[in-house]
Amino acid sequence: MAIILVSEDSKHLALTIQKELPSAKIFAKSAIEGGEVVSSLAETVAKLFDQVEGLIFIGAMGICVRSIAPHIKDKHTDPAVVNIDSTGRYVVSVLSGHVGGANDLTSHLARILGAEEVISTKSDSTGLWALDTLGARFGWSTRSSESNFNLPLTLFVNRKKTALLLDIRDKGTDYLERTAPDHVTVFYAYKDIPLAGYKLLIAVSPFKYPETTIPTIYFHPKVLRLGLGCRRLCSPAGIPEYISSYLSEHNIAVESIASISTIELKKEEPLLHTLAEQWGVPTNIYTAQELEKVDIPNPSAKVEEVTSSPSVSEASALQSSELGLLILEKQKGKLSEGNDFTFALAMDRSALRSGHIEIVGAGPGDPELVSVRGKHFLESADLILYAGSLVPIELTHYAKPGAVVRSSASMSLEEQFEIMKAFYDKGKLIVRLHTGDPCIYGAIQEQMALFDAHGISYHITPGISSFQAAAAALRSQFTIPEKVQTIILTRGEGRTPMPDGEKLHQLARSRSTMCIFLSAGIVDDVQQQLLEHYPPQTPVAACYKLTWKDERIYRGQLQNLAKIVKENGLTLTTMIVVGDAIDNRQGLSRLYADEFKHLFRK
């Protein structure tokens, strides 16, 4: 970045920006700390225009415009240009708004200065998607049926009726579903789109639809896995072009190939590395033992004789896709004598538009402490199955109209699985909502075992744990330099036995900050074991329903812990914290020492 200081009395703005953007260099006609003195700003701009990613002018807009005018070529190659008035009140995106990043830079600079951003690009000012940068944002390849990409862009920003095809699922399609403007209708299969009723089609798909009769913007996500087999030292000459042509003829986008896979026996084949290099994708190598377990439609006794696996191309494609969907069975090719090869194509399991279960950490209780990702899932779910009285019902109020919301408090594991699978089999999205973070006493192990056994797609969205909420509520840093650097998350021994070596009195030897879950009912035993190593005056806190509306927190000393819990009628939803880190204000992090300040300037 280059900061062109036109207005000499605005040095403070340039220096403030440079502190936040250390790689930016200041150019001015007079001396300024950290800057370069130049005799002509116009000549400096001419020199820098093709060398920098961004030009930040501080001063009159007219000077900015006249300085860059002779050098403007193309929005795909021109740098981002932003102009800030001499008072720092307005930050204006001047050139290369979307593609060059000027709009993002404008927003960033406005936040730095507390200024008002001025962005005239229509999609930004109207809150519409920036279709020309959307692909880069989510790692999709972008192309259009029109030679002039501005034609479909104009249709979209002018709010012409648009059909949005989402025949795969990923982070980007979830975003599009959630933020679709009023003039956009979402479809999940091309055959369902009445094209005559629309002026534009936006397709997020690994496929092509050549029969489309309206302008189309394609976003091709990398969700396809190519499996490859070949004879030893197969010549790669012409094969990448052959496979690309074959896929194109079958309306499959080569741009959606995410990796190339094969068996270990073929890992040094020139064909494998030629394909990977030309397509710019990684390779996945599997052993015969891994591939022979994959169920495939076209096993070969000859392939098994050579490789010990009945399949290479189909099996490696499926294995790489995490046993997704085989969309192209084994194809045989031979461009010259002795150079036989096979290839198959599978779609990632996670990309399939089928049922899915998202295990979401609800956080400690406050509905605003669920993660942004978790909230998005709650807003999109067809079924929310939440952990009864352990999760505040307010969290389920994020549910969309028509969603089914059920408590699992009275259900057995089998009943929970039955209702989730019923929705899953219909291709629905299920949220299994657990308190805190699911990985800490979340009881998800048994559920995941069932999901694995039935081949069900699932994922975990982590949540804020109650031990983190306890630190916040106690206004305490649970790690104190040179005093305590370890936090132990554990529970007392009740109906669930503790493993050898994890008894409370054994863990207490370290005198670390200890956060004890699910143990209010056995507090006498907890206190007794902790006193074996912690001094009686060690600070403790009994935190009941952290972040809930009826949160209560009681501080004291370890020798009075049982009394505190009993006298206040605290229950299983109580987190017990013990350790000298509670309320400790002594001991500073060395990161604030002068010798470490350079770390913050990187």
Side-chain angles (χ1 to χ4, degrees):
M1 294 289 173
I3 301 173
I4 310 299
L5 185 58
V6 178
S7 178
E8 296 293 327
D9 59 354
S10 300
K11 292 180 180 180
H12 64 288
L13 297 177
L15 292 171
T16 299
I17 293 169
Q18 191 180 53
K19 285 181 180 179
E20 297 296 321
L21 303 176
S23 62
K25 188 173 182 179
I26 301 172
F27 297 86
K29 297 187 75 173
S30 61
I32 180 173
E33 181 184 355
E36 179 178 325
V37 178
V38 297
S39 58
S40 169
L41 292 180
E43 291 177 4
T44 301
V45 171
K47 179 181 177 181
L48 294 173
F49 197 82
D50 294 326
Q51 299 178 5
V52 297
E53 293 182 6
L55 287 166
I56 303 168
F57 285 79
I58 303 178
M61 174 70 79
I63 297 176
C64 166
V65 172
R66 286 192 294 272
S67 298
I68 65 173
H71 315 294
I72 296 173
K73 302 179 186 70
D74 185 279
K75 68 178 182 180
H76 295 94
T77 57
D78 292 338
V81 179
V82 174
N83 192 83
I84 303 171
D85 71 287
S86 59
T87 67
R89 184 176 177 183
Y90 300 105
V91 183
V92 184
S93 176
V94 179
L95 183 70
S96 299
H98 281 319
V99 178
N103 291 355
D104 288 339
L105 180 58
T106 296
S107 299
H108 190 185
L109 292 171
R111 289 191 293 270
I112 291 172
L113 301 175
E116 182 176 342
E117 63 181 56
V118 180
I119 298 175
S120 59
T121 310
K122 188 168 183 179
S123 58
D124 282 285
S125 59
T126 57
L128 298 177
W129 301 322
L131 295 180
D132 47 357
T133 60
L134 193 65
R137 177 177 178 181
F138 294 110
W140 302 333
S141 296
T142 306
R143 68 179 188 87
S144 172
S145 63
E146 307 301 310
S147 58
N148 183 0
F149 194 62
N150 284 330
L151 171 61
L153 289 183
T154 302
L155 291 172
F156 182 73
V157 297
N158 286 333
R159 294 184 175 272
K160 300 301 181 182
K161 286 195 67 177
T162 300
L164 174 62
L165 173 63
L166 307 175
D167 59 10
I168 62 97
R169 183 176 214 157
D170 67 2
K171 183 178 180 180
T173 62
D174 288 345
Y175 167 78
L176 295 183
E177 284 184 279
R178 192 172 65 249
T179 60
D182 293 340
H183 69 291
V184 173
T185 305
V186 180
F187 297 90
Y188 302 105
Y190 180 77
K191 63 180 178 60
D192 296 334
I193 305 174
L195 290 174
Y198 293 91
K199 298 296 184 181
L200 173 67
L201 170 64
I202 300 173
V204 183
S205 172
F207 304 109
K208 303 174 183 178
Y209 297 96
E211 65 272 28
T212 300
T213 56
I214 58 176
T216 302
I217 296 175
Y218 284 100
F219 295 110
H220 295 308
K222 289 191 174 297
V223 294
L224 302 182
R225 308 288 174 170
L226 187 113
L228 180 72
C230 65
R231 278 199 181 186
R232 184 173 180 273
L233 297 179
C234 174
S235 170
I239 294 179
E241 295 76 15
Y242 175 89
I243 296 177
S244 295
S245 177
Y246 185 93
L247 296 180
S248 183
E249 289 172 5
H250 288 77
N251 300 323
I252 299 171
V254 176
E255 298 92 333
S256 284
I257 294 178
S259 67
I260 304 172
S261 307
T262 193
I263 197 167
E264 192 172 27
L265 183 65
K266 304 293 181 181
K267 66 181 180 180
E268 301 299 337
E269 286 292 334
L271 175 57
L272 174 70
H273 297 289
T274 297
L275 284 170
E277 183 177 348
Q278 288 198 19
W279 291 343
V281 296
T283 58
N284 297 318
I285 308 299
Y286 299 103
T287 65
Q289 291 73 26
E290 289 175 304
L291 296 186
E292 66 184 6
K293 299 174 184 177
V294 180
D295 185 23
I296 43 93
N298 300 294
S300 167
K302 184 176 181 180
V303 171
E304 186 170 14
E305 180 183 337
V306 175
T307 68
S308 300
S309 171
S311 170
V312 171
S313 58
E314 289 181 340
S316 62
L318 281 167
Q319 183 73 5
S320 184
S321 71
E322 296 186 337
L323 304 183
L325 177 67
L326 194 66
I327 63 171
L328 185 68
E329 294 187 4
K330 179 172 67 176
Q331 304 297 314
K332 297 180 180 179
K334 183 178 179 180
L335 302 188
S336 59
E337 193 60 38
N339 293 310
D340 306 67
F341 61 93
T342 63
F343 60 95
L345 208 58
M347 185 184 296
D348 282 343
R349 180 178 173 183
S350 61
L352 297 177
R353 281 223 161 256
S354 59
H356 177 75
I357 298 175
E358 189 71 17
I359 301 171
V360 174
D366 186 338
E368 293 186 350
L369 288 179
V370 69
S371 70
V372 173
R373 180 180 175 87
K375 179 174 177 284
H376 288 164
F377 275 113
L378 288 168
E379 292 170 336
S380 304
D382 300 295
L383 168 68
I384 298 174
L385 187 63
Y386 69 103
S389 59
L390 297 177
V391 174
I393 195 169
E394 287 82 1
L395 273 155
T396 68
H397 294 171
Y398 289 125
K400 66 184 180 182
V404 175
V405 179
R406 297 282 303 276
S407 167
S408 63
S410 62
M411 296 182 187
S412 64
L413 176 61
E414 291 72 20
E415 289 171 327
Q416 295 172 30
F417 179 73
E418 183 179 341
I419 187 173
M420 286 189 285
K421 191 170 187 306
F423 275 77
Y424 183 92
D425 290 343
K426 295 176 184 177
K428 302 295 186 179
L429 173 63
I430 301 103
V431 166
R432 181 66 175 107
L433 191 60
H434 281 268
T435 184
D437 184 274
C439 76
I440 304 175
Y441 307 114
I444 62 173
Q445 194 77 13
E446 301 92 336
Q447 296 171 71
M448 293 191 295
L450 283 171
F451 300 158
D452 290 338
H454 288 80
I456 286 175
S457 167
Y458 68 94
H459 180 263
I460 300 172
T461 294
I464 295 174
S465 171
S466 56
F467 90 87
Q468 296 165 302
L474 294 170
R475 297 183 182 180
S476 297
Q477 179 177 311
F478 281 176
T479 55
I480 303 297
E482 301 180 19
K483 190 170 185 68
V484 55
Q485 291 289 283
T486 302
I487 303 170
I488 295 177
L489 311 181
T490 189
R491 63 179 296 173
E493 186 168 31
R495 289 179 296 176
T496 302
M498 295 297 288
D500 291 339
E502 294 187 23
K503 309 288 187 182
L504 279 180
H505 67 87
Q506 294 169 314
L507 299 177
R509 289 173 181 155
S510 68
R511 293 194 187 179
S512 304
T513 302
M514 192 177 295
C515 302
I516 306 170
F517 293 73
L518 307 170
S519 301
I522 52 171
V523 67
D524 288 309
D525 182 58
V526 168
Q527 177 177 306
Q528 179 183 344
Q529 291 200 51
L530 294 177
L531 283 170
E532 290 188 29
H533 295 284
Y534 287 96
Q537 294 77 29
T538 301
V540 295
C543 309
Y544 174 75
K545 284 195 172 182
L546 284 158
T547 78
W548 292 48
K549 292 178 180 178
D550 50 348
E551 171 188 282
R552 287 182 283 153
I553 296 176
Y554 302 91
R555 288 173 163 85
Q557 296 181 344
L558 177 56
Q559 60 189 346
N560 299 318
L561 174 61
K563 180 180 179 182
I564 292 171
V565 170
K566 291 177 181 178
E567 287 186 351
N568 292 287
L570 304 184
T571 63
L572 290 175
T573 50
T574 299
M575 160 75 66
I576 296 171
V577 184
V578 58
D580 289 329
I582 298 174
D583 292 329
N584 193 305
R585 295 294 183 269
Q586 297 177 356
L588 295 176
S589 171
R590 295 186 66 205
L591 283 176
Y592 290 99
D594 289 340
E595 61 190 292
F596 290 102
K597 284 185 178 178
H598 67 282
L599 295 175
F600 299 102
R601 300 193 184 103
K602 287 187 177 181

